[in-house]
Structure formats: structure tokens, C-alpha cells
Amino acid sequence: MQRKKDNTIRVLVIDDRMEDAESIVTGLRNDGLAVRANRPTSIDEYRQMLAGQPVDLVLAAATSKTVEAAQALTLARATGNDLPVILIADGHDDSGLAAMLGLGADNIALRNREGHVRRAVQREYRDLNARRDLRHLDARLHETERRCDALIDSSRDPIAYIHEGMHIRANQAYLEMFGYADFDEIEGMSILDMVAPEDAGEFKALLKQLSKGGEIPPLHHLTAQGADGQEFPATMEFSPATYDGEPCLQIIFRRKEATVDSAMIEQLESLRRLDGATGLLNRPTFLQSLEEAIARSASAHEHHGLLMIQPDHFGTLLQSVGINNSDALMAALAERLRPLLGEQVEAARFGEQVIAVLARGASHADTEALANRIVAAVAGRILETGDHSLTVTVSVGAVQVSERNAQVPRVLARAQELLETAQGVGGGRMELYDPGAIDRAEQDRINAWIERIRGALANDQLVLHYQPIINLHGNNVPFFDVLMRMDNGTGEVVMPSAFLPIAEEHGLIRDLDRGVITKAVRTLAANAKREMRFMVRISRASIEDTSLPAFIQQVLQEHGVPANRLIVQINESKVSTQINEATVFNQQLAAFGAGFCVDQFGVGLNSAQLISHLRPRFIKLDGSFMTDYARSPEQQARVKDLAAAGSAVGATPIACDVNDSGSMTTLFLAGVEYVQGNFLAPASADLSFDF
């Protein structure tokens, strides 16, 4: 089972001034890092924090007197944990920096150099995760090898491992088939000794071909020879493997009975490897081939091209041809692509609506040319699918596989991401991972998204999804968290992570905020009888917009919606650096009855002090507190403290990302009034949830 990744970076910030520490943490959060920070106020408290809670990084001001840099480093190393320490320097001084490095700091960041602290934190956290993953994988590898050895020994399939033509491992079934009592009798023996003389030449040529990276045949038929010299017909299956860290070849020998039809065996083997609808390789076979290609990229510096191909607007196409014709649609697409595939190109039906292509030995130019040919070969052409003829376009996400990205999950994720990007800006195009032209491609992508955002605002293509917020005390008033999406023009939904950063950077975020508020109020008006409440997110830029409260009041009045049914929410990290503006904003909302909520609450250095100034109507606890909440006394105590801090200033606590029923009772006892999360109800366009 894979480990669940927690992307929250847990840091200890050592700085004499609370304001300076808060500035560091806020800067990291504003740069998009999920940071949970604590600040020790004495060396004893620093010791307790190191011993009592998980910590990923220590950020220590070089000039700190509370805990001096040398003490911070010494105590961090004394824990025995892999705990990087970054020293924060106020200025650039060669001798000073050298002295800091001499103390044993893992990195140094300049406080006043824009982005320097963020880059240092990202680098050290990435390296820390890499070391953790390596240790985890090493343990998993040893455990897997132990289990594999046990499985091989107990298997009734005759299995052997061959290195440079010699036996280095064989199980009991293999020994019995050839008439040997113990592996010592064949250790170091050539595999050719197991092959009858008349087939030895052909088999030797096959081994030579495989040693040079040639294509592995699904089956190889020959006449085998036992220890007593008796010959018998057999089939062999090959697959690459490693044994004791050395690359080798796994061979499964099977005695072939004379009555078995070899043509039928090959036909069955072919069916096992192919997708029945398209005639392309199936997903397991393609993944095995991809793993082999990527392994060669890592070891032999080979380059390959991976392409993910998907028909655009697949849902709309199925409405035209019928869901029962989805296989026929993919088969027609496969036929259109088949002439484009050369000898070194493998294609597979990778998913219900995705075709994957592996171009072995392809250069970057070859991959780009193949992707463009695929887009052009489908665009504007008619596909025949049973009783229907229709025109289809496809999008292609292409990745050049090389030594630098030679990991199967990484290249698959990047190809899928590029495929979604190509479809998100209209489809009928290809997106290629091109490190050499990344700036140009990025700018083209940004320009396309800017036009899409403007079009969505002009054409009412913002889409609202709603996640129920449930009252643990049984109050059944409908209450929803409003989540923004975008219609890409065909009814398909684009998630905000694809366009919000671009909207913020190019001055469109305030327009998006106003568009969402307007649409949310219209929906409240259309459901007036249910008296529901909505919680709507806004950006940091909108807090600075002094005209926004008046705009909200006007929209509510125009649609006849009571102001107390709308709550505006914003992240704690975004208001912590704009406390005065946020306080005024909240007061203006309260003046006409609208509410204010601090989202992602509890991860600041002094969250309780923040809400004592703001006095919001709601606080929504950061989702990271729900990670393993039911089994974590530490998380439960922290949530109870935060809920009490909120209640003390009249702010109703909400727990989000609740993921199991066991948490509900504990949250109720902790003073949390509302909960939400996919476990309770996922976000959707449906407002019919029964409260």
C-alpha cells in the first residue's frame, strides 16, 4: 500500500521578534507552500518542541538571542532525526556566511532577498522527502525481495534467473524438471546446457539479442534437455529482472505436451496481451513495456517519447453515438492512428477513453512530429462507429522520457497533466514537455488561459459547485460551501487550480470574485423558500478592494436576498498580513448583516490573537488537522484549543476535510459546531442535499 503524502511542511521558526517570524511564515504561505509553524520562546521550549512533535525543518535567525544559532543546530542534531536547519541571515557577508556553514547549517537564506527563504525551504524539504522516500523504498525493497524469494521457492512454475547466460538462481520446480537435486549442481552452469544441440544456435542468438536490449518475445519454443540427456519440447517466457542488485533475465520453462496446438497457445498469448475492442496492447502489457523503456533511459541514457491521446469532449461524443458504442469509437480512433505507428512505436488502450503511445528511441523532434501527425490525422476526418459517422478531434499530452525524468509515475503524471492542459484550452492540439522551450510554451499557455477567463466572465461560464456544511447539533438549515469551477465552452468543468494563479497574476481575480458572488446570490434568490446560506471564497486582492462591500450589499438588495445568508471567507494566511484591511472589511459586511469567515484557520503562529482583532462570524479549521484525527490525541487537543479560541470571540468553528465517522463524536466534544468533507458529501452542482 502506498503511503499517503502529507504536503504540510512542519517548521520551527526561531526569531527574537514575533513580527519577523510571522513575516517569514506568511511569505511562505503566500508563495503557495502549506506550512504549519511554531515558534519557541526559550531554549527549554525549543527542546520540548523537538522532542514532542514531528518537525520537518528548523528556520533559525542567525542573530537570534532567544535560541542562538549554534544551540539550534546542536539540539537539532542531538535528536538523531533527519532534521534540516536553515539559518536566516539579514545580509550578505562572506565571512559571516562561511561561519554559519561552519556551524553545520544545511542551508542559508537571506531574509531580505525576495524568494530566497522560499527556495531554500523548498530545496531542503524536497531533499528531505527524497531521503525519506529512499529509506522507505529501501525497506520496501528488502521486504519485497524476501517475499519474492518465498514465492519463487513455493511456485510450481519452473523459474530460473540468468546473468550473462549463467544460472544464478533457480527454484525447486526448475530443478525437478531438469532432474537436478540441488541448485549447487547448476550454479554457474550455462543455460545453453539445458537446450538440445539442434536448438542451441538459435537460442544463443536470442540471448545475444536480448543482452543488447532487443525486443523480448512473448514465447520461445525449443527442445530442452534434462540432466539424463532426455529431450522434451518446452516453451520459455522471458522478463527482465534484478537479483542482488545485478540486472538479469527471468526465465520460466514449461514442458510442452505434444498434443497441445502451438498455434492456439500463441493465439491465447496474443489475446492476453491485447485489448479486445481496439486490437492495441492492453494497459498491463503497455505498462510493462514502459517500465522496461524507462529503466533503459535510466541505465543506458536512451530517449523515448510517451504520448497520451484522448478524443475531445468525450462525454458529448457518447451522447451522439450512445454509451454502448464507446468501444467502437475507440476502435475507429485506433484504426486512424495505426498507419502512423512505426516499428519502434507501441500503442495501447490505456483507459476507457485514452490511447497511450510509446515511441522507442525517439528524439524530442521525433516525439513532437508524431504528436502533431496524430492531431492532424484525426482533425476534421470522419470516424465510422457502427451506425454513426462523426468528426472528432483529439488532444495529445506528450513527454520526452530521458535520464532526468526516468520514473514511471512521473512521466505518466506529466503526460496526463499536459493532456488536461491541451483540452482545457479548447482541445484539438498537443502539449509537449519541452525543457528547451518551456518559457515560450508557458507564455502561450498563460495567454490562452487569460482569454478563456475573460470569455468565461463575459459569457457567464463560471460554474458553482456546492458542498454541504452539516451542523452537529442537528440544525437542519441548508448551509453550503460554494466552490468555483469554469465551463470550458462544451459543458465540461475546469478546476480552479488550472486558472486561479493566472487570474491573480494578471489582475482578473477581483472580477472572478465578483462574478462568483453575483452567481451565488442569484442562486440564493432562486431558492428563497429553502432559506439556505452560502459561504463564498474571495481572494486577498478583494480584501483591498474598498468598493467590494458596497457591491455585495447592492447585489443582495437587487435580488432580495437577506444579507445574513451570505458569508464571505478568506484564508488566514492572506488576512494575517492585512489585519487592518480585513477588520474594516468585516465591519462593513457586519453593518448590513453579511458574515465573515477565516478559512484554513489554526496554522498561523498566533491564530487566536488574529481572530481577537478580526472577530469573524465563523472560523474554518485547516484541513490538515483532520489527517489521522481520530487516532491522534495531539490533533484532537489542538482542535479543541482552536475551537475554544473561536468561541471566546463569538466565532463558530467549522471542521473541513472530515474523512471518517469516528471523528464526528470527538469533534462534537471538542466544541466544533459544523463539519464538512467528501466523506459526508462531495461537492457537486446539486443543491438537493437533505439536511
Side-chain angles (χ1 to χ4, degrees), residues 100-120:
M100 292 180 200
L101 288 172
L103 292 173
D106 295 279
N107 209 330
I108 297 173
L110 301 179
R111 187 192 301 271
N112 299 318
R113 185 76 60 83
E114 184 178 356
H116 208 241
V117 175
R118 170 180 57 80
R119 287 192 292 272

Side-chain angles (χ1 to χ4, degrees), residues 179-220:
Y180 294 97
D182 192 86
F183 176 67
D184 290 341
E185 298 183 52
I186 65 168
E187 185 174 12
M189 180 187 294
S190 172
I191 184 68
L192 288 170
D193 292 342
M194 310 304 195
V195 179
E198 61 269 23
D199 289 339
E202 181 183 354
F203 184 66
K204 186 175 182 181
L206 175 61
L207 287 179
K208 188 174 182 180
Q209 172 192 332
L210 295 178
S211 68
K212 295 180 179 179
E215 183 177 356
I216 297 176
L219 289 174
H220 181 71

Side-chain angles (χ1 to χ4, degrees), residues 34-53:
V35 175
R36 185 185 297 177
N38 284 295
R39 173 179 170 265
T41 56
S42 68
I43 192 165
D44 289 336
E45 190 175 359
Y46 178 54
R47 285 194 183 96
Q48 292 172 3
M49 288 181 175
L50 288 175
Q53 61 189 26

Side-chain angles (χ1 to χ4, degrees), residues 393-457:
T393 61
V394 296
S395 293
V396 179
V399 175
Q400 189 65 24
V401 182
S402 63
E403 182 181 11
R404 292 184 61 185
N405 62 346
Q407 293 180 0
V408 173
R410 179 181 297 180
V411 297
L412 287 174
R414 178 59 66 89
Q416 183 63 34
E417 176 187 322
L418 292 171
L419 177 59
E420 291 173 0
T421 298
Q423 292 183 321
V425 294
R429 57 183 290 166
M430 73 90 178
E431 292 285 342
L432 173 64
Y433 175 60
D434 178 5
I438 192 166
D439 293 337
R440 173 178 53 78
E442 181 67 7
Q443 190 57 50
D444 289 344
R445 185 182 72 87
I446 289 172
N447 291 338
W449 272 116
I450 290 173
E451 292 305 312
R452 294 301 304 277
I453 294 168
R454 288 173 176 161
L457 288 167

